[in-house]
Amino acid sequence: MNPEEEKRATPCSSPVFVHNPHLDVMKDDVLYHFALGTATHNLPAMFGDVKFVCVGGSPWRMKSFTEYIAAEIRMEDPESEYPNICAGTDRYAMYKVGPVLSVSHGMGIPSIAIMLHELIKLLHHAHCEDVTIVRIGTSGGIGLEPGTVVVTKKSMDATFLPKFEQVILGKTVERNTDLDQCLAEELLQCSKELNQFETVIGNTMCTLDFYEGQARLDGAFCSYTEKDKQDYLKKASEAGICNIEMESSVFAAMCKLSGLRAAVVCVTLLDRLKGDQMNGSHEVLQSYQLRPQILVGNYIKKLLKAKAGRSCNSATV
Amino acid sequence: MNPEEEKRATPCSSPVFVHNPHLDVMKDDVLYHFALGTATHNLPAMFGDVKFVCVGGSPWRMKSFTEYIAAEIRMEDPESEYPNICAGTDRYAMYKVGPVLSVSHGMGIPSIAIMLHELIKLLHHAHCEDVTIVRIGTSGGIGLEPGTVVVTKKSMDATFLPKFEQVILGKTVERNTDLDQCLAEELLQCSKELNQFETVIGNTMCTLDFYEGQARLDGAFCSYTEKDKQDYLKKASEAGICNIEMESSVFAAMCKLSGLRAAVVCVTLLDRLKGDQMNGSHEVLQSYQLRPQILVGNYIKKLLKAKAGRSCNSATV
């Protein structure tokens, strides 16, 4: 083998990084909000083969994703009910089928951040390598037909800047919210091949609040007019923002810090330029919510099929 | 009756306020994250008698609180399983027994804020009056014996200031986080009468993050030393902060805006000066978590007993 061939033949493995020297001297590590721990569970045996992690707000959706992906990658076990790995707590739900882990994260930045701290430590303790993580979620769209799927280019804050502000010891630290552009393009390409629904790549605004923070007129409190709302959303649109949700910025920041290849795939449940209330029929909203999981499920299936021929520059599975 | 007697005899009823002129012109209101709505549910019939609302992060805890309070106020129905009123969604869980509503809120400011917007609208639509609301939660203590219950005096941010910053249309607005001091004192008095565990009144720090945001050394990322951590917690202690959690500031701010008589009652699961990991035994941590519900359950029982004789300056039930 010449050096170039050898390089291609040798998987370029990328571990999941923690950045915390204190972890090295801890006797064991309790992942409290998962009801798991290094002293009580054999994490490498339980999770060492994980290559894909899908996360979403709703525990029900993450269970349904597991059932869906099991059928897609033909690893379903008719005897299995896919038990919740975090059954000892009601903070998060976690399911696993083959190399795919599915974890719920609740709503909002703090809730997903707790989950990600413990997930990153879990993947680290389990010696996982080359992990791809995708948030599959719901969002409000700006000027898009409801049901459109948005793959996030940049996650932006409420002032339309691509950054996440982390408070550490009372001081604010800015973190980069870059996501993997190559992964985003691959997901877009996968959606084109599927040809079941519209998918776009665009910026996503991440807010700390669903009502006043997203310029909704239907919260318990509202001190602005319909025109103020429209002006704000227009400015967001001019900054390339296609949709609004509540977790992408810290997700992007933490995945980047830990070397996880990350994407955010959210369906838009409504067009915020036309309204604020989620008053579509239950069936229609439910069918929209399936779209990110269909897209990501197909992407995972495609990657697992192409396992042998994949080069280290995109994803090594 | 002289005017003073008349004033005492006439219940001084206080409605639950929304501050949103747009609600008046909406045909109906979908409380999306509760799977409830004005067009689909008779909210006054379902909730018109609510006088107490208890909220907490965990859905399991809120169900157990409902079973506990049902027995305490002797309204338990041996036939009833206390169905989850929000069974159509997995975002929040809600239970009701007599005048007591119990609602979960997930973890973090954004998650509780969504719940509170919809709860305040629910109480408004149901024409509820004179409602007392208590958050019963868990927290990390500073210099307190684990298991101590803290009734919050002031909710403070990560810079030890008693304010909540709400972003509206991309601009930051400061909101007051005052809680009802009279209610806090009544709860402290109730705990003294119970004499089952230590309860103190003190300030509570509310953070956006559980790990770096609370100076923990055991997250996936940590860029500071044990000494930095201790210095930060000491400064917090000097500002009168007894415990740290993740919801009290927006809870205080929104309850104040809507005229709800509000308190925060959290048990401390560990002393943060001595460690970061929640590695107490499951049984001990579980027994600590019961304390806020025992205290608040007894307070509600006491108030319901004293119903007739209570003056409007404290709580009219």
Side-chain angles (χ1 to χ4, degrees):
Chain A
M1 262 196 275
N2 66 35
E4 194 51 38
E5 280 170 338
E6 197 175 327
K7 191 176 159 194
R8 277 203 299 274
T10 311
C12 136
S13 61
S14 163
V16 178
F17 296 111
V18 295
H19 296 278
N20 183 354
H22 304 287
L23 291 181
D24 299 335
V25 293
M26 278 165 57
K27 203 172 129 259
D28 50 56
D29 189 8
V30 177
L31 307 175
Y32 178 71
H33 300 88
F34 286 159
L36 297 173
T38 54
T40 47
H41 298 80
N42 184 341
L43 300 180
M46 290 172 75
F47 300 104
D49 63 339
V50 169
K51 294 296 176 192
F52 300 97
V53 184
C54 291
V55 303
S58 145
W60 292 356
R61 201 197 308 139
M62 299 327 290
K63 185 169 193 197
S64 119
F65 176 75
T66 294
E67 288 158 359
Y68 175 79
I69 196 79
E72 282 295 302
I73 63 175
R74 304 214 172 145
M75 292 189 75
E76 75 266 44
D77 174 357
E79 300 298 307
S80 169
E81 289 248 335
Y82 304 108
N84 177 5
I85 299 168
C86 298
T89 176
D90 60 350
R91 300 302 190 166
Y92 304 108
M94 183 187 285
Y95 305 93
K96 183 176 179 297
V97 56
V100 186
L101 193 66
S102 171
V103 196
S104 73
H105 57 59
M107 289 187 287
I109 287 173
S111 186
I112 194 175
I114 297 174
M115 192 283 284
L116 286 173
H117 269 284
E118 299 186 13
L119 175 69
I120 290 164
K121 291 199 294 176
L122 181 153
L123 297 172
H124 168 76
H125 293 313
H127 314 302
C128 295
E129 290 186 337
D130 307 313
V131 176
T132 296
I133 182 166
V134 185
R135 161 164 148 69
I136 52 175
T138 57
S139 63
I142 304 182
L144 295 174
E145 194 63 33
T148 305
V149 172
V150 179
V151 181
T152 302
K153 188 175 175 185
K154 286 182 187 173
S155 175
M156 294 177 155
D157 69 10
T159 64
F160 321 137
L161 294 174
K163 62 181 169 68
F164 171 66
E165 292 189 343
Q166 171 72 47
V167 178
I168 302 176
L169 307 176
K171 293 191 179 60
T172 300
V173 175
E174 270 187 26
R175 284 186 174 158
N176 182 305
T177 57
D178 281 353
L179 290 156
D180 191 304
Q181 295 307 306
C182 180
L183 177 57
E185 290 292 343
E186 286 170 21
L187 285 161
L188 185 69
Q189 180 57 35
C190 190
S191 178
K192 281 183 187 155
E193 289 161 17
L194 260 177
N195 197 27
Q196 286 183 22
F197 42 79
E198 186 73 21
T199 300
V200 299
I201 289 185
N203 295 335
T204 297
M205 180 158 75
C206 180
T207 68
L208 280 163
D209 177 48
F210 184 81
Y211 287 97
E212 293 171 287
Q214 297 187 7
R216 272 191 163 78
L217 301 171
D218 63 340
F221 317 122
C222 181
S223 54
Y224 41 86
T225 65
E226 166 79 35
K227 184 179 177 306
D228 296 334
K229 168 196 156 174
Q230 293 291 342
D231 289 349
Y232 181 67
L233 293 183
K234 257 174 230 155
K235 277 185 209 155
S237 181
E238 284 159 15
I241 291 167
C242 288
N243 65 335
I244 315 176
E245 46 79 90
M246 298 179 66
E247 294 88 13
S248 61
S249 63
V250 75
F251 173 83
M254 291 181 71
C255 292
K256 188 171 172 69
L257 276 176
S258 62
L260 288 164
R261 191 169 174 257
V264 177
V265 178
C266 290
V267 71
T268 60
L269 296 182
L270 77 170
D271 180 359
R272 289 295 318 289
L273 297 179
K274 292 181 183 162
D276 296 325
Q277 290 247 304
M278 235 85 81
N279 47 15
S281 80
H282 182 73
E283 290 69 29
V284 168
L285 292 177
Q286 281 298 106
S287 77
Y288 288 166
Q289 291 188 35
L290 291 178
R291 293 180 174 184
Q293 80 179 43
I294 291 170
L295 172 51
V296 175
N298 272 274
Y299 176 74
I300 291 174
K301 187 167 70 172
K302 192 174 148 184
L303 235 66
L304 287 175
K305 271 191 186 166
K307 195 176 173 183
R310 188 155 291 277
S311 93
C312 126
N313 282 335
S314 53
T316 313
V317 181
Chain B
M1 260 196 277
N2 67 35
E4 195 51 38
E5 281 170 339
E6 198 174 325
K7 193 177 159 193
R8 278 204 299 275
T10 312
C12 136
S13 62
S14 161
V16 177
F17 296 111
V18 294
H19 297 278
N20 182 355
H22 304 287
L23 291 181
D24 299 334
V25 292
M26 277 164 57
K27 202 169 130 266
D28 50 57
D29 189 8
V30 177
L31 307 174
Y32 178 71
H33 301 87
F34 285 160
L36 297 172
T38 54
T40 47
H41 297 80
N42 184 342
L43 300 179
M46 290 172 75
F47 300 105
D49 63 339
V50 169
K51 294 295 177 193
F52 300 98
V53 184
C54 292
V55 303
S58 146
W60 292 355
R61 201 196 309 139
M62 298 327 290
K63 183 167 193 199
S64 117
F65 176 74
T66 294
E67 288 158 359
Y68 174 78
I69 196 79
E72 282 295 302
I73 63 176
R74 305 218 171 140
M75 291 189 77
E76 76 266 45
D77 175 357
E79 301 297 308
S80 171
E81 290 248 335
Y82 304 107
N84 177 5
I85 300 168
C86 297
T89 177
D90 61 350
R91 301 300 190 168
Y92 303 109
M94 183 188 285
Y95 305 93
K96 183 176 180 296
V97 57
V100 186
L101 193 66
S102 170
V103 195
S104 72
H105 57 59
M107 288 187 287
I109 288 173
S111 186
I112 194 175
I114 296 175
M115 191 282 285
L116 286 173
H117 268 284
E118 299 187 12
L119 174 69
I120 290 164
K121 291 199 295 176
L122 181 154
L123 297 172
H124 168 76
H125 292 313
H127 314 303
C128 294
E129 289 185 338
D130 306 314
V131 176
T132 295
I133 182 167
V134 185
R135 161 163 149 70
I136 52 175
T138 58
S139 63
I142 304 182
L144 295 175
E145 194 63 34
T148 306
V149 172
V150 179
V151 180
T152 302
K153 188 174 175 186
K154 286 182 186 174
S155 174
M156 294 177 155
D157 68 11
T159 65
F160 320 137
L161 294 173
K163 63 182 168 70
F164 171 65
E165 292 188 343
Q166 171 73 46
V167 179
I168 302 177
L169 307 177
K171 293 190 177 61
T172 301
V173 175
E174 269 186 28
R175 283 185 175 159
N176 184 305
T177 56
D178 281 354
L179 289 156
D180 192 304
Q181 295 307 306
C182 181
L183 177 57
E185 290 293 343
E186 287 170 20
L187 286 160
L188 184 70
Q189 180 56 36
C190 190
S191 178
K192 281 182 187 154
E193 290 161 16
L194 260 176
N195 197 27
Q196 288 184 20
F197 42 80
E198 186 73 20
T199 300
V200 299
I201 289 186
N203 296 335
T204 297
M205 180 159 73
C206 180
T207 68
L208 280 163
D209 178 49
F210 184 81
Y211 287 97
E212 295 171 286
Q214 296 187 8
R216 272 190 163 79
L217 301 170
D218 63 340
F221 317 121
C222 180
S223 54
Y224 42 86
T225 65
E226 167 79 35
K227 185 179 179 303
D228 296 334
K229 168 196 154 174
Q230 293 292 341
D231 289 348
Y232 181 68
L233 294 183
K234 256 173 230 155
K235 277 185 210 156
S237 181
E238 285 159 17
I241 291 168
C242 288
N243 65 336
I244 315 176
E245 46 78 270
M246 299 179 66
E247 294 86 14
S248 61
S249 63
V250 73
F251 173 83
M254 290 181 70
C255 292
K256 188 171 171 70
L257 276 175
S258 61
L260 288 163
R261 193 168 173 257
V264 176
V265 179
C266 290
V267 71
T268 61
L269 295 182
L270 77 170
D271 181 358
R272 289 295 318 289
L273 297 179
K274 293 182 182 162
D276 296 325
Q277 290 246 306
M278 235 85 80
N279 47 15
S281 80
H282 182 73
E283 291 67 32
V284 168
L285 292 178
Q286 281 298 107
S287 77
Y288 289 167
Q289 291 189 34
L290 291 178
R291 293 180 174 184
Q293 80 180 43
I294 292 170
L295 172 51
V296 175
N298 273 274
Y299 176 74
I300 291 174
K301 189 167 69 170
K302 191 174 150 186
L303 235 66
L304 287 175
K305 271 190 186 165
K307 197 176 172 182
R310 191 154 287 278
S311 91
C312 122
N313 282 336
S314 54
T316 313
V317 180

